[in-house]
Amino acid sequence: MTGKVQENKYREIQCSAACNRVRGRFPYHWDLNIYRGCAHRCQYCFALYSHQYMESDDFYREIFVKMNIAERLERQLKSRNWDHQVINLGGVTDNYQPAEEQYRIMPELLKLLIRFENPAIISTKSDLILRDYDLIDQLSRVAYVNIAATVTTMDEDIRSVLEPGGVSSSRRFDVLSEFRKTNASTGVHMMPVIPYITSVRENLEAVFSETKQRDIHYLITSNLNLKGPTRAVFFNFVREEFPQYEHPLTRLFSYGKEYKEYKSELFQMISEVRTKYNVKADFGSIIKEKNAQFEAEQLSFF
């Protein structure tokens, strides 16, 4: 994005619960987000709607920090009703965004997960996660852990305007390579695939090829979601950075016949590229397999 980037504003709040139940076709049903709002400023962020509950209209720069989230997580993990299921850390906002460098809340949460041997998924676009490498390594030896990085493009010129607050895509792959040395599973989330901008075969090939070369466990994709305030933000971005695609994207996201044809063609192209590089898509099966291993190890002690 052009223009001067304003300084982030942090507002400290209290939360009633650390983990919130999520519904849908996910391999988990608990989500944990330390922060409301995200300074990575991704121009396609589906979570922009969430700030309407926070009496703020600046999702990218007014960041709410849940100061008591570690205390609340401990309470949940101690509860007799806790189901000991996988917690997805960062389903709405990135827990390793710049605010974390100042507040250092993730280490507290990781220590609790280690103590209670609770499985977790951690998704990020930051290399700050490497600060907590030893804790995540320790957790991966007592419970299932998945470390995922969102990678939408290997073109740094596109990446730098699309996700200006995140680290480069190559650096994200470096992060995954480091965690490949632990007992954690690793994954690439090519989410979303953006029509005309990142959906071209050359880009798909580049991301899948790098995933294969780095020996990452899986790669999953999803389509661009333009519900709620995301649509206006995204199209403002397109008019500024990719004006040649404004009219084609406007037609496409009228969600008519053209959109259905696009989805079908994209699915076919992704399938072909996935087959070419032999990269897995199902990380739900990885979760089940890893959890089964931990359960078998625990039984072996009795």
Side-chain angles (χ1 to χ4, degrees):
M1 299 290 289
T2 59
K4 184 179 179 180
V5 176
Q6 299 176 10
E7 186 176 350
N8 297 327
K9 184 198 307 183
Y10 299 131
R11 292 178 59 179
E12 298 176 356
I13 61 173
Q14 302 289 302
C15 62
S16 58
C19 302
N20 297 298
R21 184 173 285 275
V22 294
R23 306 188 187 282
R25 298 176 62 183
F26 306 109
Y28 57 84
H29 58 256
W30 292 107
D31 199 30
L32 181 152
N33 298 278
I34 300 170
Y35 305 101
R36 285 289 201 110
C38 186
H40 284 164
R41 306 194 308 280
C42 302
Q43 300 303 304
Y44 51 75
C45 183
F46 77 94
L48 293 173
Y49 74 91
S50 65
H51 243 41
Q52 68 188 25
Y53 307 109
M54 306 305 292
E55 298 181 356
S56 170
D57 59 0
D58 197 345
F59 180 88
Y60 295 129
R61 295 186 180 88
E62 188 165 18
I63 312 300
F64 294 80
V65 186
K66 300 175 185 178
M67 298 299 295
N68 65 331
I69 196 167
E71 171 194 329
R72 293 298 180 178
L73 178 60
E74 182 175 15
R75 179 181 296 185
Q76 284 187 277
L77 296 179
K78 276 183 174 178
S79 171
R80 291 186 204 173
N81 297 324
W82 180 250
D83 58 11
H84 205 72
Q85 293 300 305
V86 176
I87 300 173
N88 181 43
L89 290 92
V92 179
T93 58
D94 197 326
N95 289 323
Y96 282 104
Q97 62 176 287
E100 175 60 18
E101 192 166 7
Q102 173 179 327
Y103 283 94
R104 300 182 66 88
I105 295 173
M106 273 297 292
E108 298 179 56
L109 304 187
L110 290 168
K111 289 172 185 176
L112 286 169
L113 294 174
I114 292 168
R115 176 180 158 195
F116 290 95
E117 300 185 354
N118 204 97
I121 298 169
I122 305 173
S123 306
T124 186
K125 296 173 183 171
S126 172
D127 58 1
L128 181 59
I129 190 174
L130 292 173
R131 180 199 66 191
D132 298 337
Y133 183 90
D134 290 344
L135 287 171
I136 294 170
D137 180 31
Q138 187 177 345
L139 178 59
S140 77
R141 299 179 190 284
V142 297
Y144 169 76
V145 180
N146 180 74
I147 304 299
T150 298
V151 179
T152 53
T153 178
M154 295 305 295
D155 186 320
E156 187 59 16
D157 289 337
I158 294 176
R159 201 285 313 161
S160 64
V161 294
L162 189 62
E163 306 157 349
V167 298
S168 69
S169 295
S170 61
R171 182 58 176 156
R172 297 178 203 186
F173 273 108
D174 290 342
V175 168
L176 293 178
S177 292
E178 287 301 309
F179 283 106
R180 193 67 178 81
K181 301 171 186 176
T182 70
N183 196 42
S185 63
T186 55
V188 172
H189 293 179
M190 197 174 183
M191 306 167 70
V193 179
I194 301 175
Y196 307 115
I197 298 173
T198 69
S199 67
V200 296
R201 188 169 190 123
E202 180 182 8
N203 185 55
L204 293 172
E205 294 253 4
V207 177
F208 272 87
S209 174
E210 192 70 17
T211 301
K212 182 65 175 180
Q213 183 178 333
R214 301 282 191 140
D215 195 27
I216 307 306
H217 288 98
Y218 71 89
L219 185 157
I220 57 176
T221 64
S222 72
N223 294 319
L224 178 63
N225 181 343
L226 290 184
K227 295 180 180 178
T230 301
R231 186 183 184 97
V233 170
F234 176 74
F235 273 103
N236 284 339
F237 159 75
V238 169
R239 278 189 286 273
E240 185 174 339
E241 300 291 350
F242 298 97
Q244 69 272 31
Y245 296 134
E246 180 181 1
H247 293 304
L249 282 165
T250 300
R251 289 197 309 271
L252 193 64
F253 283 97
S254 65
Y255 294 105
K257 180 181 177 182
E258 189 172 345
Y259 182 75
K260 292 179 181 178
E261 291 174 349
Y262 159 77
K263 283 183 63 177
S264 178
E265 291 171 2
L266 178 63
F267 177 82
Q268 179 62 33
M269 186 162 50
I270 290 174
S271 179
E272 291 171 2
V273 174
R274 185 181 300 282
T275 299
K276 177 179 178 179
Y277 292 100
N278 191 27
V279 175
K280 292 182 180 179
D282 181 15
F283 80 108
S285 63
I286 296 174
I287 292 177
K288 292 178 182 177
E289 179 183 337
K290 285 274 190 179
N291 275 330
Q293 289 176 4
F294 282 114
E295 289 173 4
E297 290 171 3
Q298 289 172 350
L299 289 173
S300 69
F301 287 109
F302 295 96

